[in-house]
Amino acid sequence: MSAHENHGEPEIRVLGTEQELRQAMALFRTAMVGLPPGPDYPEGRMGDYLEEGRTLGAFLDGALVGTVDATSGFLVLPGGARVPHAGVTHIGVLPTHTRRGVVTSLVRHQLRAAQDRGDVVASLRASEATIYGRFGYGIASMSTTLEVDTHRAVLHPNVTEGGPVRFAQDSEVWDLLERIYSEHATDRPGRIERTSYWWASQRFRFSAVSGPVYVAVHGNAGAEDGFVRYRPENTGEWFGGRERTIVVSDFFAPTAESHAGLVRFLLSLDLVDRIVFDGVPADDPLPWMLTDHRGARVASVSDETWLRILDVRRALEARSFVGAGRVRIAVTDPVFAENTAVFEISADGVSTSSDPAHLELGIAELGSLMLGGVGCHALAGAGRITVHDGAALPVADALFTWPVAPFAGTMF
Ligand SMILES: CC(C)(COP(=O)(O)OP(=O)(O)OC[C@H]1O[C@@H](n2cnc3c(N)ncnc32)[C@H](O)[C@@H]1OP(=O)(O)O)[C@@H](O)C(=O)NCCC(=O)NCCS
Protein backbone atom coordinates (compact mmCIF):
# COMPACT_ATOMS: atom_id res chain seq x y z
CA MET A 1 0.00 0.00 0.00
CA SER A 2 1.44 3.37 -0.93
CA ALA A 3 1.52 6.25 1.54
CA HIS A 4 -1.14 7.99 -0.54
CA GLU A 5 -3.82 5.50 0.34
CA ASN A 6 -3.82 6.38 4.05
CA HIS A 7 -5.40 9.75 3.44
CA GLY A 8 -8.40 11.18 1.70
CA GLU A 9 -7.98 12.92 -1.64
CA PRO A 10 -7.42 16.64 -1.17
CA GLU A 11 -10.03 19.01 -2.52
CA ILE A 12 -8.51 21.09 -5.31
CA ARG A 13 -9.95 24.45 -6.28
CA VAL A 14 -8.98 27.76 -7.80
CA LEU A 15 -7.90 30.37 -5.25
CA GLY A 16 -9.46 33.73 -5.84
CA THR A 17 -9.40 36.09 -2.92
CA GLU A 18 -6.49 38.32 -2.03
CA GLN A 19 -6.20 36.57 1.31
CA GLU A 20 -6.12 33.08 -0.22
CA LEU A 21 -3.47 34.12 -2.73
CA ARG A 22 -1.31 35.62 0.03
CA GLN A 23 -1.73 32.45 2.05
CA ALA A 24 -0.66 30.38 -0.98
CA MET A 25 2.50 32.44 -1.49
CA ALA A 26 3.35 32.17 2.22
CA LEU A 27 2.80 28.41 2.01
CA PHE A 28 5.14 28.19 -0.98
CA ARG A 29 7.90 29.96 0.96
CA THR A 30 7.43 27.60 3.91
CA ALA A 31 7.65 24.61 1.55
CA MET A 32 10.84 25.94 -0.07
CA VAL A 33 12.52 26.31 3.35
CA GLY A 34 15.52 28.43 2.35
CA LEU A 35 14.50 31.08 -0.17
CA PRO A 36 16.13 34.47 0.49
CA PRO A 37 13.88 36.77 2.51
CA GLY A 38 11.68 38.96 0.37
CA PRO A 39 9.41 41.97 0.84
CA ASP A 40 5.68 41.64 1.60
CA TYR A 41 3.41 41.83 -1.41
CA PRO A 42 1.80 45.28 -1.57
CA GLU A 43 -1.74 45.41 -0.19
CA GLY A 44 -4.51 44.64 -2.68
CA ARG A 45 -2.14 43.85 -5.58
CA MET A 46 -1.96 40.04 -5.74
CA GLY A 47 -3.66 40.17 -9.13
CA ASP A 48 -0.52 41.86 -10.50
CA TYR A 49 1.56 38.79 -9.68
CA LEU A 50 -0.79 35.86 -10.13
CA GLU A 51 -3.00 35.35 -13.16
CA GLU A 52 -6.69 35.15 -12.37
CA GLY A 53 -8.03 31.61 -12.30
CA ARG A 54 -4.66 29.88 -12.50
CA THR A 55 -3.63 29.55 -8.84
CA LEU A 56 -4.80 26.27 -7.36
CA GLY A 57 -5.05 25.31 -3.72
CA ALA A 58 -5.23 21.83 -2.19
CA PHE A 59 -7.34 21.52 0.96
CA LEU A 60 -7.40 18.76 3.56
CA ASP A 61 -10.06 19.03 6.25
CA GLY A 62 -10.71 22.57 5.04
CA ALA A 63 -7.09 23.74 5.49
CA LEU A 64 -4.87 24.90 2.63
CA VAL A 65 -1.93 22.47 2.46
CA GLY A 66 -0.59 22.83 -1.09
CA THR A 67 -0.53 25.16 -4.07
CA VAL A 68 0.56 25.56 -7.67
CA ASP A 69 0.02 28.29 -10.23
CA ALA A 70 0.67 29.11 -13.86
CA THR A 71 0.70 32.00 -16.29
CA SER A 72 -0.43 31.96 -19.91
CA GLY A 73 1.95 32.81 -22.72
CA PHE A 74 3.66 31.17 -25.67
CA LEU A 75 6.63 28.92 -26.18
CA VAL A 76 8.69 28.81 -29.37
CA LEU A 77 9.09 25.44 -31.11
CA PRO A 78 11.80 24.53 -33.64
CA GLY A 79 10.97 26.40 -36.82
CA GLY A 80 9.62 29.43 -34.97
CA ALA A 81 5.98 28.46 -34.30
CA ARG A 82 4.57 29.88 -31.06
CA VAL A 83 2.25 27.56 -29.16
CA PRO A 84 0.06 28.34 -26.13
CA HIS A 85 2.06 27.58 -23.01
CA ALA A 86 1.37 27.33 -19.29
CA GLY A 87 4.37 28.59 -17.29
CA VAL A 88 4.01 26.53 -14.10
CA THR A 89 5.48 27.78 -10.85
CA HIS A 90 5.10 28.10 -7.05
CA ILE A 91 4.63 24.37 -6.46
CA GLY A 92 4.64 23.70 -2.74
CA VAL A 93 3.13 21.44 -0.14
CA LEU A 94 3.27 22.18 3.58
CA PRO A 95 6.12 20.12 5.10
CA THR A 96 3.57 18.66 7.55
CA HIS A 97 1.55 17.24 4.63
CA THR A 98 4.08 15.90 2.12
CA ARG A 99 4.14 12.37 0.65
CA ARG A 100 0.45 11.79 0.79
CA GLY A 101 -0.42 12.62 -2.79
CA VAL A 102 -1.14 16.33 -2.48
CA VAL A 103 1.11 17.44 -5.30
CA THR A 104 -0.03 14.52 -7.43
CA SER A 105 -3.62 15.76 -7.17
CA LEU A 106 -2.62 19.37 -7.78
CA VAL A 107 -0.46 18.66 -10.83
CA ARG A 108 -3.00 16.32 -12.44
CA HIS A 109 -5.75 18.89 -11.91
CA GLN A 110 -3.57 21.65 -13.31
CA LEU A 111 -2.57 19.66 -16.40
CA ARG A 112 -6.22 18.90 -17.21
CA ALA A 113 -7.26 22.51 -16.69
CA ALA A 114 -4.41 23.71 -18.92
CA GLN A 115 -5.36 21.25 -21.65
CA ASP A 116 -9.03 22.26 -21.39
CA ARG A 117 -8.15 25.90 -21.97
CA GLY A 118 -6.12 25.01 -25.07
CA ASP A 119 -2.53 25.09 -23.87
CA VAL A 120 -0.36 22.86 -26.05
CA VAL A 121 2.54 22.60 -23.60
CA ALA A 122 3.37 23.39 -19.99
CA SER A 123 6.83 24.00 -18.61
CA LEU A 124 8.47 24.51 -15.25
CA ARG A 125 11.84 24.84 -13.53
CA ALA A 126 12.48 22.05 -11.06
CA SER A 127 13.95 22.38 -7.57
CA GLU A 128 14.81 18.67 -7.75
CA ALA A 129 15.20 16.55 -10.85
CA THR A 130 13.32 13.58 -9.40
CA ILE A 131 9.85 15.05 -8.95
CA TYR A 132 8.30 15.82 -12.32
CA GLY A 133 9.15 12.95 -14.69
CA ARG A 134 6.27 10.97 -13.18
CA PHE A 135 3.85 13.65 -14.36
CA GLY A 136 5.13 13.52 -17.94
CA TYR A 137 7.59 16.42 -17.78
CA GLY A 138 10.92 15.87 -19.57
CA ILE A 139 14.08 17.98 -19.58
CA ALA A 140 13.99 19.89 -22.86
CA SER A 141 16.68 22.56 -22.50
CA MET A 142 19.86 23.08 -20.52
CA SER A 143 21.36 26.22 -19.04
CA THR A 144 25.12 26.81 -19.14
CA THR A 145 27.06 28.94 -16.68
CA LEU A 146 30.15 30.46 -18.29
CA GLU A 147 33.00 32.00 -16.33
CA VAL A 148 35.22 34.48 -18.13
CA ASP A 149 38.71 35.31 -16.91
CA THR A 150 38.91 38.93 -18.01
CA HIS A 151 42.74 38.88 -18.11
CA ARG A 152 42.68 36.21 -20.82
CA ALA A 153 39.64 37.55 -22.61
CA VAL A 154 40.93 39.35 -25.69
CA LEU A 155 38.33 39.63 -28.42
CA HIS A 156 39.02 38.09 -31.81
CA PRO A 157 39.63 40.79 -34.47
CA ASN A 158 36.58 39.61 -36.44
CA VAL A 159 34.18 40.34 -33.60
CA THR A 160 31.91 43.17 -34.65
CA GLU A 161 32.13 46.52 -32.86
CA GLY A 162 28.57 46.52 -31.60
CA GLY A 163 26.61 49.67 -30.91
CA PRO A 164 26.50 52.12 -28.01
CA VAL A 165 25.90 50.93 -24.46
CA ARG A 166 24.49 53.09 -21.67
CA PHE A 167 23.19 52.57 -18.15
CA ALA A 168 19.42 52.51 -17.85
CA GLN A 169 18.03 55.13 -15.49
CA ASP A 170 16.15 53.86 -12.43
CA SER A 171 12.99 55.63 -13.54
CA GLU A 172 12.87 53.91 -16.96
CA VAL A 173 14.56 50.60 -16.31
CA TRP A 174 11.68 48.13 -16.03
CA ASP A 175 9.54 49.61 -18.79
CA LEU A 176 12.58 49.74 -21.04
CA LEU A 177 13.64 46.12 -20.43
CA GLU A 178 10.08 44.92 -20.95
CA ARG A 179 9.89 46.78 -24.24
CA ILE A 180 13.27 45.52 -25.47
CA TYR A 181 12.41 41.92 -24.65
CA SER A 182 9.00 41.96 -26.26
CA GLU A 183 10.15 43.81 -29.40
CA HIS A 184 12.97 41.36 -30.13
CA ALA A 185 11.29 38.03 -30.42
CA THR A 186 13.80 35.44 -31.55
CA ASP A 187 13.02 32.03 -32.97
CA ARG A 188 15.29 30.16 -30.56
CA PRO A 189 13.37 27.03 -29.52
CA GLY A 190 12.27 27.18 -25.90
CA ARG A 191 11.96 30.94 -25.72
CA ILE A 192 8.94 31.93 -23.65
CA GLU A 193 7.01 35.10 -23.22
CA ARG A 194 7.86 37.26 -20.22
CA THR A 195 4.35 38.02 -19.04
CA SER A 196 3.19 41.13 -17.17
CA TYR A 197 3.06 38.90 -14.06
CA TRP A 198 6.72 37.98 -14.53
CA TRP A 199 7.79 41.60 -14.88
CA ALA A 200 5.70 42.65 -11.89
CA SER A 201 7.42 39.95 -9.81
CA GLN A 202 10.84 41.15 -10.93
CA ARG A 203 10.06 44.74 -9.98
CA PHE A 204 8.73 43.59 -6.66
CA ARG A 205 11.71 41.35 -5.82
CA PHE A 206 14.35 43.82 -6.90
CA SER A 207 12.69 46.65 -4.98
CA ALA A 208 14.03 45.00 -1.83
CA VAL A 209 17.50 43.99 -3.05
CA SER A 210 20.22 45.77 -1.14
CA GLY A 211 23.61 46.32 -2.73
CA PRO A 212 24.49 47.36 -6.24
CA VAL A 213 22.71 45.97 -9.30
CA TYR A 214 23.51 47.50 -12.68
CA VAL A 215 21.47 47.51 -15.86
CA ALA A 216 23.11 48.47 -19.15
CA VAL A 217 21.25 48.61 -22.47
CA HIS A 218 22.58 48.33 -26.01
CA GLY A 219 21.56 50.43 -29.01
CA ASN A 220 20.62 53.97 -29.84
CA ALA A 221 18.08 55.73 -27.65
CA GLY A 222 14.59 54.66 -28.68
CA ALA A 223 15.93 51.67 -30.64
CA GLU A 224 17.61 49.65 -27.87
CA ASP A 225 17.96 45.98 -28.74
CA GLY A 226 19.62 44.21 -25.83
CA PHE A 227 20.44 44.52 -22.15
CA VAL A 228 22.47 43.08 -19.34
CA ARG A 229 21.83 43.01 -15.59
CA TYR A 230 24.82 42.36 -13.34
CA ARG A 231 25.93 42.68 -9.74
CA PRO A 232 29.24 42.36 -7.92
CA GLU A 233 29.94 39.49 -5.51
CA ASN A 234 31.66 39.83 -2.15
CA THR A 235 31.34 43.58 -1.91
CA GLY A 236 32.80 43.45 1.63
CA GLU A 237 36.17 42.49 0.14
CA TRP A 238 35.86 44.44 -3.08
CA PHE A 239 38.19 47.40 -2.42
CA GLY A 240 41.42 45.45 -2.06
CA GLY A 241 40.11 42.24 -3.64
CA ARG A 242 42.20 39.87 -5.74
CA GLU A 243 39.36 38.10 -7.49
CA ARG A 244 36.64 40.62 -8.07
CA THR A 245 33.67 38.91 -9.65
CA ILE A 246 30.51 40.18 -11.27
CA VAL A 247 27.53 37.91 -11.92
CA VAL A 248 25.47 38.54 -15.03
CA SER A 249 22.00 37.38 -14.08
CA ASP A 250 20.11 38.46 -17.20
CA PHE A 251 21.86 38.69 -20.55
CA PHE A 252 19.47 39.45 -23.37
CA ALA A 253 21.37 39.91 -26.61
CA PRO A 254 19.15 38.74 -29.48
CA THR A 255 21.39 40.01 -32.32
CA ALA A 256 25.10 39.53 -33.10
CA GLU A 257 25.47 43.29 -32.82
CA SER A 258 23.91 43.59 -29.35
CA HIS A 259 25.75 40.48 -28.17
CA ALA A 260 29.14 41.86 -29.23
CA GLY A 261 28.37 45.34 -27.91
CA LEU A 262 27.35 44.09 -24.48
CA VAL A 263 30.27 41.63 -24.19
CA ARG A 264 32.69 44.40 -25.17
CA PHE A 265 31.16 46.64 -22.53
CA LEU A 266 31.44 44.00 -19.78
CA LEU A 267 35.05 43.20 -20.71
CA SER A 268 35.89 46.90 -20.54
CA LEU A 269 34.86 47.21 -16.88
CA ASP A 270 37.81 48.21 -14.74
CA LEU A 271 38.58 46.22 -11.56
CA VAL A 272 36.71 43.09 -12.63
CA ASP A 273 38.74 39.84 -12.76
CA ARG A 274 35.96 37.37 -13.43
CA ILE A 275 32.58 37.56 -15.13
CA VAL A 276 30.07 34.82 -14.42
CA PHE A 277 27.35 34.52 -17.06
CA ASP A 278 24.71 32.75 -15.04
CA GLY A 279 22.58 31.09 -17.68
CA VAL A 280 23.33 31.17 -21.40
CA PRO A 281 22.51 28.67 -24.14
CA ALA A 282 25.06 25.93 -24.81
CA ASP A 283 25.80 27.42 -28.24
CA ASP A 284 26.44 30.98 -27.03
CA PRO A 285 29.23 32.37 -29.24
CA LEU A 286 31.12 33.93 -26.34
CA PRO A 287 34.01 31.41 -26.06
CA TRP A 288 34.51 31.65 -29.85
CA MET A 289 34.77 35.44 -29.60
CA LEU A 290 37.97 35.17 -27.55
CA THR A 291 41.44 34.73 -29.05
CA ASP A 292 42.10 32.41 -26.09
CA HIS A 293 39.18 29.98 -26.03
CA ARG A 294 40.18 28.99 -22.48
CA GLY A 295 39.41 32.50 -21.34
CA ALA A 296 35.84 31.25 -21.00
CA ARG A 297 35.14 28.12 -19.00
CA VAL A 298 31.93 26.13 -18.66
CA ALA A 299 31.40 26.22 -14.90
CA SER A 300 28.19 24.18 -14.92
CA VAL A 301 25.41 22.86 -17.10
CA SER A 302 22.01 22.24 -15.52
CA ASP A 303 18.49 21.40 -16.56
CA GLU A 304 16.41 24.44 -17.47
CA THR A 305 13.06 23.80 -19.20
CA TRP A 306 11.00 20.82 -18.06
CA LEU A 307 8.42 20.39 -20.80
CA ARG A 308 5.05 18.64 -20.55
CA ILE A 309 3.27 18.14 -23.85
CA LEU A 310 -0.47 18.45 -23.33
CA ASP A 311 -1.53 17.95 -26.95
CA VAL A 312 0.94 15.78 -28.85
CA ARG A 313 -0.69 16.14 -32.24
CA ARG A 314 -0.80 19.95 -32.13
CA ALA A 315 2.75 20.15 -30.77
CA LEU A 316 4.17 17.85 -33.47
CA GLU A 317 2.20 19.60 -36.20
CA ALA A 318 3.44 23.01 -35.06
CA ARG A 319 7.16 22.26 -34.96
CA SER A 320 9.40 21.88 -38.00
CA PHE A 321 11.39 18.76 -38.82
CA VAL A 322 14.36 18.72 -41.13
CA GLY A 323 16.10 15.79 -42.78
CA ALA A 324 15.25 12.93 -45.07
CA GLY A 325 13.12 9.87 -44.40
CA ARG A 326 10.19 9.20 -42.13
CA VAL A 327 9.79 7.51 -38.79
CA ARG A 328 6.87 6.15 -36.78
CA ILE A 329 6.93 6.71 -33.05
CA ALA A 330 4.53 5.17 -30.52
CA VAL A 331 3.84 7.61 -27.70
CA THR A 332 2.32 6.63 -24.35
CA ASP A 333 0.67 9.16 -22.08
CA PRO A 334 -0.93 7.76 -18.92
CA VAL A 335 -2.88 10.99 -18.28
CA PHE A 336 -4.28 12.04 -21.66
CA ALA A 337 -5.52 9.04 -23.63
CA GLU A 338 -5.68 10.95 -26.94
CA ASN A 339 -1.90 11.46 -26.82
CA THR A 340 -1.32 7.71 -26.82
CA ALA A 341 -0.94 6.90 -30.53
CA VAL A 342 1.51 6.13 -33.31
CA PHE A 343 2.67 9.26 -35.16
CA GLU A 344 4.41 9.18 -38.51
CA ILE A 345 6.86 12.03 -38.83
CA SER A 346 8.80 13.44 -41.76
CA ALA A 347 9.96 16.85 -42.93
CA ASP A 348 6.65 17.01 -44.89
CA GLY A 349 4.47 16.76 -41.80
CA VAL A 350 2.91 14.56 -39.16
CA SER A 351 0.02 12.11 -39.22
CA THR A 352 -1.28 9.32 -37.02
CA SER A 353 -0.72 5.80 -38.30
CA SER A 354 -1.98 2.30 -37.69
CA ASP A 355 1.29 0.72 -38.90
CA PRO A 356 3.77 -0.62 -36.35
CA ALA A 357 6.10 1.93 -34.76
CA HIS A 358 9.87 1.99 -35.23
CA LEU A 359 10.44 3.62 -31.86
CA GLU A 360 8.43 3.67 -28.65
CA LEU A 361 8.62 6.30 -25.95
CA GLY A 362 6.76 7.97 -23.09
CA ILE A 363 5.32 11.47 -23.02
CA ALA A 364 8.21 12.79 -20.86
CA GLU A 365 10.78 11.54 -23.38
CA LEU A 366 8.86 13.17 -26.22
CA GLY A 367 8.94 16.38 -24.15
CA SER A 368 12.73 16.09 -24.02
CA LEU A 369 12.90 15.68 -27.81
CA MET A 370 10.39 18.39 -28.65
CA LEU A 371 12.74 21.39 -28.62
CA GLY A 372 15.47 19.59 -30.54
CA GLY A 373 18.13 19.73 -27.85
CA VAL A 374 18.75 16.03 -27.23
CA GLY A 375 19.38 13.20 -29.65
CA CYS A 376 17.20 10.11 -29.91
CA HIS A 377 20.36 7.97 -29.70
CA ALA A 378 21.10 9.40 -26.24
CA LEU A 379 17.63 8.53 -24.96
CA ALA A 380 17.77 5.11 -26.66
CA GLY A 381 21.18 4.51 -25.09
CA ALA A 382 19.64 5.26 -21.72
CA GLY A 383 16.83 2.78 -22.39
CA ARG A 384 14.25 5.56 -22.50
CA ILE A 385 13.33 4.96 -26.12
CA THR A 386 12.57 1.39 -27.11
CA VAL A 387 14.00 0.70 -30.56
CA HIS A 388 12.05 -1.75 -32.74
CA ASP A 389 13.94 -0.86 -35.91
CA GLY A 390 17.58 0.25 -35.51
CA ALA A 391 17.67 1.87 -38.95
CA ALA A 392 15.03 4.35 -37.80
CA LEU A 393 17.17 5.77 -35.01
CA PRO A 394 19.48 7.98 -37.13
CA VAL A 395 16.46 9.06 -39.20
CA ALA A 396 14.64 10.14 -36.03
CA ASP A 397 17.80 11.81 -34.75
CA ALA A 398 18.11 13.92 -37.88
CA LEU A 399 14.42 14.83 -37.87
CA PHE A 400 14.12 15.81 -34.22
CA THR A 401 17.40 17.61 -33.49
CA TRP A 402 17.69 21.29 -34.29
CA PRO A 403 20.76 23.39 -35.16
CA VAL A 404 20.03 26.11 -32.58
CA ALA A 405 20.22 24.95 -28.95
CA PRO A 406 16.92 25.32 -27.10
CA PHE A 407 16.95 27.84 -24.28
CA ALA A 408 14.31 29.87 -22.46
CA GLY A 409 16.58 32.28 -20.60
CA THR A 410 13.77 33.19 -18.23
CA MET A 411 13.64 31.89 -14.69
CA PHE A 412 10.21 31.80 -13.12
C1 LIG B 1 8.09 18.43 -3.96
C2 LIG B 1 6.73 18.51 -3.30
C3 LIG B 1 5.90 19.58 -4.01
C4 LIG B 1 6.06 17.13 -3.44
O1 LIG B 1 4.77 17.17 -2.86
P1 LIG B 1 4.09 15.90 -2.20
O2 LIG B 1 2.66 16.25 -1.94
O3 LIG B 1 4.89 15.42 -1.07
O4 LIG B 1 4.16 14.83 -3.37
P2 LIG B 1 3.25 13.51 -3.50
O5 LIG B 1 2.92 12.98 -2.16
O6 LIG B 1 2.12 13.79 -4.40
O7 LIG B 1 4.30 12.57 -4.18
C5 LIG B 1 4.16 12.03 -5.45
C6 LIG B 1 5.32 11.13 -5.70
O8 LIG B 1 6.49 11.94 -5.88
C7 LIG B 1 7.50 11.52 -4.97
N1 LIG B 1 8.18 12.73 -4.50
C8 LIG B 1 7.59 13.79 -3.98
N2 LIG B 1 8.51 14.71 -3.68
C9 LIG B 1 9.69 14.21 -4.05
C10 LIG B 1 11.01 14.70 -3.98
N3 LIG B 1 11.29 15.88 -3.47
N4 LIG B 1 11.99 13.91 -4.45
C11 LIG B 1 11.70 12.69 -4.95
N5 LIG B 1 10.46 12.19 -5.04
C12 LIG B 1 9.47 12.94 -4.58
C13 LIG B 1 6.76 10.83 -3.85
O9 LIG B 1 7.59 9.93 -3.19
C14 LIG B 1 5.64 10.17 -4.59
O10 LIG B 1 6.10 9.00 -5.20
P3 LIG B 1 5.15 7.70 -5.33
O11 LIG B 1 3.98 8.15 -6.15
O12 LIG B 1 6.04 6.73 -6.04
O13 LIG B 1 4.78 7.33 -3.94
C15 LIG B 1 6.82 18.84 -1.82
O14 LIG B 1 7.62 17.89 -1.21
C16 LIG B 1 7.39 20.21 -1.55
O15 LIG B 1 6.64 21.16 -1.41
N6 LIG B 1 8.74 20.32 -1.47
C17 LIG B 1 9.40 21.54 -1.21
C18 LIG B 1 9.13 22.61 -2.24
C19 LIG B 1 9.56 22.19 -3.62
O16 LIG B 1 10.59 21.56 -3.81
N7 LIG B 1 8.75 22.59 -4.58
C20 LIG B 1 9.03 22.32 -5.94
C21 LIG B 1 9.46 23.60 -6.58
S1 LIG B 1 9.88 23.31 -8.26
Side-chain angles (χ1 to χ4, degrees):
M1 182 167 74
S2 99
H4 303 176
E5 291 168 59
N6 292 324
H7 304 272
E9 282 277 310
E11 181 210 343
I12 310 292
R13 66 172 171 81
V14 172
L15 303 181
T17 67
E18 175 87 5
Q19 195 201 345
E20 281 181 335
L21 296 174
R22 280 180 182 279
Q23 206 188 337
M25 290 305 99
L27 186 159
F28 171 69
R29 293 192 74 85
T30 304
M32 289 300 289
V33 183
L35 288 182
D40 282 338
Y41 285 100
E43 212 53 52
R45 303 302 296 268
M46 292 310 287
D48 292 356
Y49 308 104
L50 298 170
E51 185 175 326
E52 194 182 345
R54 297 210 81 163
T55 302
L56 300 178
F59 294 83
L60 280 173
D61 300 326
L64 182 70
V65 297
T67 189
V68 63
D69 60 69
T71 46
S72 315
F74 66 74
L75 177 137
V76 178
L77 293 178
R82 274 105 172 108
V83 288
H85 162 246
V88 172
T89 185
H90 295 134
I91 302 183
V93 174
L94 272 188
T96 46
H97 290 75
T98 51
R99 308 301 180 269
R100 57 180 77 175
V102 173
V103 106
T104 304
S105 298
L106 274 168
V107 169
R108 291 250 164 91
H109 190 106
Q110 184 187 46
L111 291 175
R112 287 209 180 85
Q115 204 209 39
D116 284 349
R117 61 190 290 152
D119 290 335
V120 172
V121 290
S123 83
L124 53 75
R125 311 285 175 263
S127 62
E128 289 182 69
T130 45
I131 306 173
Y132 298 107
R134 77 190 72 236
F135 302 120
Y137 282 91
I139 297 171
S141 75
M142 307 298 283
S143 177
T144 299
T145 298
L146 282 181
E147 280 185 15
V148 175
D149 173 350
T150 59
H151 306 290
R152 297 176 80 148
V154 174
L155 288 176
H156 189 278
N158 286 6
V159 173
T160 170
E161 266 309 306
V165 173
R166 67 175 174 91
F167 285 106
Q169 303 301 313
D170 284 353
S171 58
E172 64 171 349
V173 63
W174 292 111
D175 288 343
L176 182 57
L177 300 194
E178 192 170 347
R179 176 169 67 74
I180 296 171
Y181 188 85
S182 65
E183 281 179 0
H184 294 87
T186 70
D187 282 348
R188 183 181 284 280
R191 177 187 158 113
I192 53 171
E193 203 167 337
R194 290 185 173 182
T195 61
S196 66
Y197 308 99
W198 188 87
W199 286 108
S201 298
Q202 293 287 301
R203 286 174 198 240
F204 162 68
R205 267 188 233 158
F206 280 87
S207 67
V209 167
S210 59
V213 179
Y214 300 98
V215 180
V217 296
H218 177 273
N220 293 315
E224 295 87 352
D225 58 1
F227 59 80
V228 63
R229 285 200 274 169
Y230 64 94
R231 62 179 160 75
E233 269 189 345
N234 275 333
T235 49
E237 289 163 29
W238 188 266
F239 193 82
R242 286 174 181 277
E243 204 188 30
R244 297 183 181 111
T245 300
I246 58 166
V247 177
V248 175
S249 57
D250 198 0
F251 180 49
F252 181 64
T255 61
E257 178 93 349
S258 60
H259 190 284
L262 289 167
V263 167
R264 257 182 214 287
F265 164 72
L266 291 169
L267 291 178
S268 77
L269 291 171
D270 282 340
L271 304 175
V272 174
D273 300 300
R274 199 163 63 117
I275 306 175
V276 177
F277 289 82
D278 193 12
V280 293
D283 58 358
D284 194 280
L286 181 50
W288 300 98
M289 291 161 74
L290 308 179
T291 52
D292 179 352
H293 195 273
R294 294 181 195 170
R297 191 174 72 85
V298 174
S300 66
V301 178
S302 45
D303 48 282
E304 189 205 32
T305 305
W306 283 74
L307 194 73
R308 207 310 172 182
I309 304 173
L310 302 168
D311 187 328
V312 170
R313 179 193 263 278
R314 280 175 71 199
L316 289 173
E317 281 174 356
R319 72 152 281 182
S320 299
F321 295 93
V322 288
R326 52 188 60 240
V327 67
R328 283 189 299 280
I329 59 167
V331 180
T332 310
D333 184 343
V335 179
F336 299 116
E338 61 278 23
N339 286 338
T340 297
V342 174
F343 297 89
E344 184 165 295
I345 295 164
S346 74
D348 299 332
V350 175
S351 57
T352 47
S353 170
S354 48
D355 291 336
H358 304 119
L359 308 174
E360 213 176 306
L361 72 174
I363 189 75
E365 285 69 29
L366 188 64
S368 293
L369 294 178
M370 186 52 71
L371 302 183
V374 62
C376 296
H377 65 281
L379 295 185
R384 302 188 52 170
I385 292 179
T386 305
V387 180
H388 296 302
D389 178 349
L393 200 54
V395 177
D397 248 334
L399 287 168
F400 271 97
T401 48
W402 195 253
V404 179
F407 187 62
T410 300
M411 184 65 194
F412 58 92

